[in-house]
Amino acid sequence: MLEPENSAPIVVGIDGSEAGVRAARWAAAEAESRNVPLRLVYATKASHPSADDYYDDVRRGQDALSAAQIDVNRRYSEVKVETALVDGPPGRALIDESDRAAMLCVGSVGIGRYAESILGSIALAVAEGAACPVAVIRAQEDDSAVHWIAAGNPADEHVVESAMAEARLRQAPVLVLGDRREGDAFIYQVKSIQLRNPDLHIYPITDRNDVAGFLRRHDEPVQLAVIGESEVAELPRILGPHGRHMFHLFEGTTSSVLVARYD
């Protein structure tokens, strides 16, 4: 498979967890659609108390990278997969990787009451500090179901463009979230998006009552919430099981998040 001239890879943080492998699968579909390499990265701990601890960390990294690569190759045989074992700490290492990446993906089990869990803190640090778009991937309860893509800010062209691209790739309908108080301005924004993307199913959602009614009628979960760089601080409430963010109007969902960011 020939690579395009701009072949910056999709980078995935691998840590030996199932969440990391799921992020690699999600990223592999992204890499395949863009015809770019997939780069799997394991970052060692920042320090090691002994040589044995260091070599154990390296072995864990090699095993984790190998397992993730085998999983991806089995599902996406046409994707070129690179692996790298780099010095940590993981958050800093992945942010450094983002300088040469088209997108950075990390797995998360969600950010609960204690946001400074390992997966949670790395996801937050990377989303805040990366130089490229960042996807924080959570497992869906039913991978075979049709899940919605939710665009969080229709006035942000980066958010809209990213949401539409993911909707095409994931073959998913789109919910555009807005505020009823915006009135005709919001409706005009959504109609403009619909006209520019006639191949997609795009629906406006304006308040809590509309969302609750919509979900009662359709009972379909959100697979990916697309937000702008200015909304990164909301990640704990989007990913957490008890959040109060707008996306948690979709009760019961375990949504992944894509932070749309461009140079």
Side-chain angles (χ1 to χ4, degrees):
M1 181 170 58
L2 295 177
E3 293 179 14
E5 291 184 7
N6 182 13
S7 58
I10 307 296
V11 174
V12 186
I14 297 297
D15 61 358
S17 69
E18 178 61 24
V21 174
R22 285 184 176 272
R25 294 174 194 160
W26 190 95
E30 195 78 33
E32 183 179 60
S33 72
R34 300 181 185 212
N35 194 18
V36 299
L38 179 70
R39 180 173 168 85
L40 308 178
V41 176
Y42 179 95
T44 62
K45 295 185 295 185
S47 60
H48 301 84
S50 67
D52 286 343
D53 185 65
Y54 170 75
Y55 288 118
D56 285 343
D57 196 3
V58 169
R59 280 192 292 271
R60 283 194 299 271
Q62 292 170 337
D63 290 343
L65 289 170
S66 177
Q69 184 174 15
I70 290 170
D71 186 278
V72 168
N73 285 340
R74 186 170 63 246
R75 298 164 187 267
Y76 297 91
S77 59
E78 295 298 313
V79 173
K80 178 182 177 182
V81 181
E82 306 168 354
T83 62
L85 197 151
V86 301
D87 293 334
R92 182 69 259 168
L94 291 174
I95 289 172
D96 289 344
E97 288 280 335
S98 75
D99 289 335
R100 303 171 296 280
M103 181 183 288
L104 188 58
C105 301
V106 293
S108 178
V109 293
I111 300 175
R113 183 176 178 183
Y114 300 103
E116 291 304 311
S117 64
I118 294 176
L119 283 172
S121 63
I122 291 175
L124 285 173
V126 168
E128 291 174 347
C132 66
V134 174
V136 183
I137 305 303
R138 296 191 68 184
Q140 299 294 323
E141 292 182 2
D142 182 1
D143 288 337
S144 65
V146 175
H147 301 296
W148 293 85
I149 303 290
N153 183 357
D156 186 328
E157 284 300 317
H158 295 158
V159 168
V160 171
E161 181 180 336
S162 296
M164 299 306 115
E166 292 302 327
R168 287 190 179 90
L169 173 59
R170 315 290 169 181
Q171 299 182 1
V174 182
L175 299 177
V176 180
L177 306 186
D179 190 330
R180 175 169 286 177
R181 291 171 296 182
E182 296 173 356
D184 291 343
F186 173 65
I187 298 302
Y188 175 80
Q189 287 172 335
V190 175
K191 286 184 176 179
S192 176
I193 295 170
Q194 290 169 330
L195 287 171
R196 299 198 310 268
N197 300 276
D199 57 316
L200 297 176
H201 298 286
I202 302 168
Y203 305 92
I205 295 292
T206 55
D207 65 17
R208 178 180 294 272
N209 291 330
D210 285 347
V211 171
F214 184 91
L215 291 180
R216 279 196 299 270
R217 290 193 298 275
H218 297 277
D219 193 28
E220 292 177 332
V222 171
Q223 65 166 296
L224 182 69
V226 184
I227 64 174
E229 189 170 7
S230 64
E231 300 169 284
V232 169
E234 298 298 316
L235 264 178
R237 287 189 284 176
I238 298 173
L239 292 172
H242 306 298
R244 296 175 181 268
H245 188 271
M246 189 174 196
F247 289 116
H248 273 276
L249 297 173
F250 303 92
E251 293 186 6
T253 190
T254 52
S255 176
S256 299
V257 180
L258 174 61
V259 180
R261 177 187 285 118
Y262 292 84
D263 294 335

mmCIF file of all heavy atoms in Angstrom, residues 14-46:
data_model
loop_
_atom_site.group_PDB
_atom_site.id
_atom_site.type_symbol
_atom_site.label_atom_id
_atom_site.label_comp_id
_atom_site.label_asym_id
_atom_site.label_seq_id
_atom_site.Cartn_x
_atom_site.Cartn_y
_atom_site.Cartn_z
ATOM 1 N N ILE A 14 0.429 2.592 24.366
ATOM 2 C CA ILE A 14 0.197 1.198 24.763
ATOM 3 C C ILE A 14 0.793 0.986 26.163
ATOM 4 O O ILE A 14 1.934 1.371 26.417
ATOM 5 C CB ILE A 14 0.854 0.226 23.764
ATOM 6 C CG1 ILE A 14 0.228 0.380 22.377
ATOM 7 C CG2 ILE A 14 0.735 -1.214 24.257
ATOM 8 C CD1 ILE A 14 -1.244 0.040 22.311
ATOM 9 N N ASP A 15 0.005 0.377 27.054
ATOM 10 C CA ASP A 15 0.488 0.181 28.424
ATOM 11 C C ASP A 15 0.267 -1.231 28.942
ATOM 12 O O ASP A 15 0.437 -1.508 30.124
ATOM 13 C CB ASP A 15 -0.184 1.186 29.366
ATOM 14 C CG ASP A 15 -1.700 1.026 29.398
ATOM 15 O OD1 ASP A 15 -2.223 0.167 28.666
ATOM 16 O OD2 ASP A 15 -2.352 1.765 30.168
ATOM 17 N N GLY A 16 -0.150 -2.152 28.051
ATOM 18 C CA GLY A 16 -0.406 -3.513 28.480
ATOM 19 C C GLY A 16 -1.835 -3.775 28.896
ATOM 20 O O GLY A 16 -2.198 -4.911 29.201
ATOM 21 N N SER A 17 -2.679 -2.738 28.891
ATOM 22 C CA SER A 17 -4.073 -2.889 29.293
ATOM 23 C C SER A 17 -4.958 -3.175 28.091
ATOM 24 O O SER A 17 -4.613 -2.884 26.944
ATOM 25 C CB SER A 17 -4.563 -1.619 29.986
ATOM 26 O OG SER A 17 -4.664 -0.547 29.043
ATOM 27 N N GLU A 18 -6.138 -3.719 28.365
ATOM 28 C CA GLU A 18 -7.134 -3.935 27.310
ATOM 29 C C GLU A 18 -7.597 -2.600 26.744
ATOM 30 O O GLU A 18 -7.906 -2.494 25.550
ATOM 31 C CB GLU A 18 -8.324 -4.721 27.865
ATOM 32 C CG GLU A 18 -9.448 -4.955 26.861
ATOM 33 C CD GLU A 18 -9.027 -5.759 25.646
ATOM 34 O OE1 GLU A 18 -8.034 -6.524 25.731
ATOM 35 O OE2 GLU A 18 -9.681 -5.623 24.588
ATOM 36 N N ALA A 19 -7.636 -1.561 27.592
ATOM 37 C CA ALA A 19 -8.025 -0.236 27.111
ATOM 38 C C ALA A 19 -7.060 0.256 26.036
ATOM 39 O O ALA A 19 -7.473 0.866 25.036
ATOM 40 C CB ALA A 19 -8.061 0.750 28.279
ATOM 41 N N GLY A 20 -5.770 -0.013 26.220
ATOM 42 C CA GLY A 20 -4.787 0.387 25.227
ATOM 43 C C GLY A 20 -4.952 -0.364 23.917
ATOM 44 O O GLY A 20 -4.810 0.210 22.826
ATOM 45 N N VAL A 21 -5.273 -1.658 24.001
ATOM 46 C CA VAL A 21 -5.480 -2.449 22.784
ATOM 47 C C VAL A 21 -6.719 -1.964 22.046
ATOM 48 O O VAL A 21 -6.726 -1.867 20.813
ATOM 49 C CB VAL A 21 -5.607 -3.952 23.137
ATOM 50 C CG1 VAL A 21 -5.979 -4.758 21.895
ATOM 51 C CG2 VAL A 21 -4.294 -4.464 23.725
ATOM 52 N N ARG A 22 -7.772 -1.633 22.767
ATOM 53 C CA ARG A 22 -8.976 -1.104 22.127
ATOM 54 C C ARG A 22 -8.672 0.229 21.434
ATOM 55 O O ARG A 22 -9.198 0.508 20.345
ATOM 56 C CB ARG A 22 -10.093 -0.922 23.153
ATOM 57 C CG ARG A 22 -10.746 -2.220 23.576
ATOM 58 C CD ARG A 22 -11.907 -1.961 24.527
ATOM 59 N NE ARG A 22 -12.588 -3.191 24.871
ATOM 60 C CZ ARG A 22 -13.594 -3.718 24.181
ATOM 61 N NH1 ARG A 22 -14.022 -3.104 23.092
ATOM 62 N NH2 ARG A 22 -14.167 -4.832 24.561
ATOM 63 N N ALA A 23 -7.855 1.057 22.053
ATOM 64 C CA ALA A 23 -7.462 2.312 21.422
ATOM 65 C C ALA A 23 -6.692 2.042 20.142
ATOM 66 O O ALA A 23 -6.856 2.752 19.135
ATOM 67 C CB ALA A 23 -6.628 3.151 22.389
ATOM 68 N N ALA A 24 -5.854 0.998 20.152
ATOM 69 C CA ALA A 24 -5.091 0.644 18.951
ATOM 70 C C ALA A 24 -6.014 0.200 17.824
ATOM 71 O O ALA A 24 -5.803 0.549 16.655
ATOM 72 C CB ALA A 24 -4.075 -0.448 19.284
ATOM 73 N N ARG A 25 -7.046 -0.564 18.154
ATOM 74 C CA ARG A 25 -8.008 -0.978 17.127
ATOM 75 C C ARG A 25 -8.713 0.231 16.530
ATOM 76 O O ARG A 25 -8.884 0.332 15.315
ATOM 77 C CB ARG A 25 -9.049 -1.926 17.734
ATOM 78 C CG ARG A 25 -8.501 -3.259 18.198
ATOM 79 C CD ARG A 25 -9.601 -4.021 18.911
ATOM 80 N NE ARG A 25 -9.066 -5.153 19.658
ATOM 81 C CZ ARG A 25 -9.705 -5.751 20.659
ATOM 82 N NH1 ARG A 25 -10.906 -5.321 21.022
ATOM 83 N NH2 ARG A 25 -9.150 -6.781 21.275
ATOM 84 N N TRP A 26 -9.158 1.125 17.395
ATOM 85 C CA TRP A 26 -9.848 2.332 16.923
ATOM 86 C C TRP A 26 -8.922 3.144 16.023
ATOM 87 O O TRP A 26 -9.327 3.620 14.959
ATOM 88 C CB TRP A 26 -10.289 3.161 18.126
ATOM 89 C CG TRP A 26 -11.211 4.304 17.817
ATOM 90 C CD1 TRP A 26 -12.575 4.295 17.869
ATOM 91 C CD2 TRP A 26 -10.829 5.632 17.431
ATOM 92 N NE1 TRP A 26 -13.072 5.534 17.529
ATOM 93 C CE2 TRP A 26 -12.021 6.358 17.261
ATOM 94 C CE3 TRP A 26 -9.608 6.266 17.213
ATOM 95 C CZ2 TRP A 26 -12.021 7.708 16.883
ATOM 96 C CZ3 TRP A 26 -9.613 7.600 16.826
ATOM 97 C CH2 TRP A 26 -10.794 8.310 16.664
ATOM 98 N N ALA A 27 -7.675 3.289 16.452
ATOM 99 C CA ALA A 27 -6.705 4.074 15.693
ATOM 100 C C ALA A 27 -6.335 3.404 14.379
ATOM 101 O O ALA A 27 -6.014 4.079 13.390
ATOM 102 C CB ALA A 27 -5.453 4.305 16.535
ATOM 103 N N ALA A 28 -6.352 2.073 14.347
ATOM 104 C CA ALA A 28 -6.017 1.355 13.116
ATOM 105 C C ALA A 28 -7.014 1.675 12.012
ATOM 106 O O ALA A 28 -6.634 1.832 10.838
ATOM 107 C CB ALA A 28 -5.975 -0.144 13.375
ATOM 108 N N ALA A 29 -8.286 1.779 12.368
ATOM 109 C CA ALA A 29 -9.287 2.168 11.368
ATOM 110 C C ALA A 29 -9.010 3.574 10.860
ATOM 111 O O ALA A 29 -9.167 3.862 9.665
ATOM 112 C CB ALA A 29 -10.685 2.080 11.985
ATOM 113 N N GLU A 30 -8.575 4.443 11.746
ATOM 114 C CA GLU A 30 -8.224 5.813 11.359
ATOM 115 C C GLU A 30 -7.035 5.806 10.404
ATOM 116 O O GLU A 30 -7.029 6.486 9.375
ATOM 117 C CB GLU A 30 -7.893 6.616 12.615
ATOM 118 C CG GLU A 30 -7.867 8.112 12.411
ATOM 119 C CD GLU A 30 -9.250 8.729 12.349
ATOM 120 O OE1 GLU A 30 -10.166 8.235 13.024
ATOM 121 O OE2 GLU A 30 -9.409 9.711 11.601
ATOM 122 N N ALA A 31 -6.008 5.027 10.750
ATOM 123 C CA ALA A 31 -4.819 4.951 9.905
ATOM 124 C C ALA A 31 -5.152 4.372 8.533
ATOM 125 O O ALA A 31 -4.659 4.848 7.499
ATOM 126 C CB ALA A 31 -3.748 4.102 10.595
ATOM 127 N N GLU A 32 -5.984 3.347 8.509
ATOM 128 C CA GLU A 32 -6.374 2.733 7.240
ATOM 129 C C GLU A 32 -7.104 3.734 6.349
ATOM 130 O O GLU A 32 -6.847 3.813 5.145
ATOM 131 C CB GLU A 32 -7.262 1.523 7.512
ATOM 132 C CG GLU A 32 -7.672 0.766 6.265
ATOM 133 C CD GLU A 32 -8.528 -0.438 6.594
ATOM 134 O OE1 GLU A 32 -9.622 -0.244 7.200
ATOM 135 O OE2 GLU A 32 -8.113 -1.570 6.282
ATOM 136 N N SER A 33 -8.001 4.522 6.945
ATOM 137 C CA SER A 33 -8.778 5.478 6.156
ATOM 138 C C SER A 33 -7.906 6.600 5.594
ATOM 139 O O SER A 33 -8.192 7.136 4.526
ATOM 140 C CB SER A 33 -9.899 6.078 7.008
ATOM 141 O OG SER A 33 -9.387 6.971 7.981
ATOM 142 N N ARG A 34 -6.827 6.936 6.290
ATOM 143 C CA ARG A 34 -5.931 8.013 5.853
ATOM 144 C C ARG A 34 -4.737 7.497 5.053
ATOM 145 O O ARG A 34 -3.955 8.286 4.538
ATOM 146 C CB ARG A 34 -5.413 8.779 7.072
ATOM 147 C CG ARG A 34 -6.485 9.422 7.926
ATOM 148 C CD ARG A 34 -5.841 10.174 9.072
ATOM 149 N NE ARG A 34 -6.825 10.729 9.995
ATOM 150 C CZ ARG A 34 -6.650 11.862 10.680
ATOM 151 N NH1 ARG A 34 -5.526 12.546 10.534
ATOM 152 N NH2 ARG A 34 -7.580 12.291 11.513
ATOM 153 N N ASN A 35 -4.590 6.168 5.037
ATOM 154 C CA ASN A 35 -3.451 5.553 4.359
ATOM 155 C C ASN A 35 -2.131 6.030 4.952
ATOM 156 O O ASN A 35 -1.208 6.430 4.234
ATOM 157 C CB ASN A 35 -3.501 5.832 2.856
ATOM 158 C CG ASN A 35 -2.556 4.951 2.056
ATOM 159 O OD1 ASN A 35 -2.099 3.916 2.548
ATOM 160 N ND2 ASN A 35 -2.234 5.370 0.856
ATOM 161 N N VAL A 36 -2.042 5.996 6.274
ATOM 162 C CA VAL A 36 -0.830 6.387 6.991
ATOM 163 C C VAL A 36 -0.455 5.274 7.968
ATOM 164 O O VAL A 36 -1.282 4.419 8.300
ATOM 165 C CB VAL A 36 -1.015 7.720 7.757
ATOM 166 C CG1 VAL A 36 -1.351 8.845 6.790
ATOM 167 C CG2 VAL A 36 -2.074 7.588 8.844
ATOM 168 N N PRO A 37 0.787 5.264 8.468
ATOM 169 C CA PRO A 37 1.188 4.220 9.427
ATOM 170 C C PRO A 37 0.501 4.377 10.780
ATOM 171 O O PRO A 37 0.037 5.458 11.151
ATOM 172 C CB PRO A 37 2.704 4.438 9.563
ATOM 173 C CG PRO A 37 3.099 5.272 8.398
ATOM 174 C CD PRO A 37 1.919 6.121 8.067
ATOM 175 N N LEU A 38 0.458 3.278 11.496
ATOM 176 C CA LEU A 38 0.021 3.255 12.885
ATOM 177 C C LEU A 38 1.262 3.038 13.743
ATOM 178 O O LEU A 38 2.010 2.090 13.519
ATOM 179 C CB LEU A 38 -0.978 2.127 13.113
ATOM 180 C CG LEU A 38 -1.521 1.967 14.536
ATOM 181 C CD1 LEU A 38 -2.452 3.117 14.880
ATOM 182 C CD2 LEU A 38 -2.247 0.622 14.684
ATOM 183 N N ARG A 39 1.498 3.909 14.704
ATOM 184 C CA ARG A 39 2.683 3.823 15.553
ATOM 185 C C ARG A 39 2.244 3.509 16.982
ATOM 186 O O ARG A 39 1.545 4.307 17.620
ATOM 187 C CB ARG A 39 3.462 5.137 15.509
ATOM 188 C CG ARG A 39 4.732 5.173 16.367
ATOM 189 C CD ARG A 39 5.507 6.461 16.115
ATOM 190 N NE ARG A 39 6.569 6.699 17.077
ATOM 191 C CZ ARG A 39 7.797 6.204 16.991
ATOM 192 N NH1 ARG A 39 8.105 5.414 15.982
ATOM 193 N NH2 ARG A 39 8.706 6.483 17.899
ATOM 194 N N LEU A 40 2.636 2.350 17.476
ATOM 195 C CA LEU A 40 2.321 1.924 18.830
ATOM 196 C C LEU A 40 3.506 2.245 19.741
ATOM 197 O O LEU A 40 4.633 1.824 19.456
ATOM 198 C CB LEU A 40 2.027 0.425 18.867
ATOM 199 C CG LEU A 40 0.977 -0.090 17.875
ATOM 200 C CD1 LEU A 40 0.821 -1.598 18.001
ATOM 201 C CD2 LEU A 40 -0.353 0.617 18.078
ATOM 202 N N VAL A 41 3.241 2.969 20.817
ATOM 203 C CA VAL A 41 4.316 3.464 21.678
ATOM 204 C C VAL A 41 4.092 3.018 23.122
ATOM 205 O O VAL A 41 3.012 3.224 23.687
ATOM 206 C CB VAL A 41 4.403 5.001 21.626
ATOM 207 C CG1 VAL A 41 5.465 5.514 22.601
ATOM 208 C CG2 VAL A 41 4.705 5.468 20.207
ATOM 209 N N TYR A 42 5.113 2.403 23.686
ATOM 210 C CA TYR A 42 5.115 2.092 25.114
ATOM 211 C C TYR A 42 6.181 2.951 25.768
ATOM 212 O O TYR A 42 7.342 2.954 25.352
ATOM 213 C CB TYR A 42 5.439 0.612 25.350
ATOM 214 C CG TYR A 42 5.494 0.211 26.817
ATOM 215 C CD1 TYR A 42 4.386 -0.324 27.450
ATOM 216 C CD2 TYR A 42 6.662 0.368 27.565
ATOM 217 C CE1 TYR A 42 4.424 -0.698 28.792
ATOM 218 C CE2 TYR A 42 6.727 0.009 28.900
ATOM 219 C CZ TYR A 42 5.598 -0.527 29.512
ATOM 220 O OH TYR A 42 5.648 -0.881 30.847
ATOM 221 N N ALA A 43 5.801 3.681 26.813
ATOM 222 C CA ALA A 43 6.746 4.520 27.543
ATOM 223 C C ALA A 43 7.051 3.887 28.897
ATOM 224 O O ALA A 43 6.132 3.528 29.647
ATOM 225 C CB ALA A 43 6.176 5.921 27.737
ATOM 226 N N THR A 44 8.320 3.758 29.191
ATOM 227 C CA THR A 44 8.718 3.190 30.475
ATOM 228 C C THR A 44 8.443 4.180 31.599
ATOM 229 O O THR A 44 8.111 5.348 31.364
ATOM 230 C CB THR A 44 10.217 2.848 30.488
ATOM 231 O OG1 THR A 44 10.970 4.052 30.299
ATOM 232 C CG2 THR A 44 10.555 1.859 29.385
ATOM 233 N N LYS A 45 8.584 3.704 32.818
ATOM 234 C CA LYS A 45 8.453 4.598 33.965
ATOM 235 C C LYS A 45 9.555 5.643 33.935
ATOM 236 O O LYS A 45 10.606 5.455 33.316
ATOM 237 C CB LYS A 45 8.529 3.790 35.259
ATOM 238 C CG LYS A 45 7.382 2.809 35.447
ATOM 239 C CD LYS A 45 7.446 2.120 36.790
ATOM 240 C CE LYS A 45 8.663 1.224 36.931
ATOM 241 N NZ LYS A 45 8.651 0.452 38.205
ATOM 242 N N ALA A 46 9.325 6.745 34.644
ATOM 243 C CA ALA A 46 10.307 7.828 34.650
ATOM 244 C C ALA A 46 11.599 7.405 35.333
ATOM 245 O O ALA A 46 12.691 7.849 34.962
ATOM 246 C CB ALA A 46 9.720 9.052 35.346
#
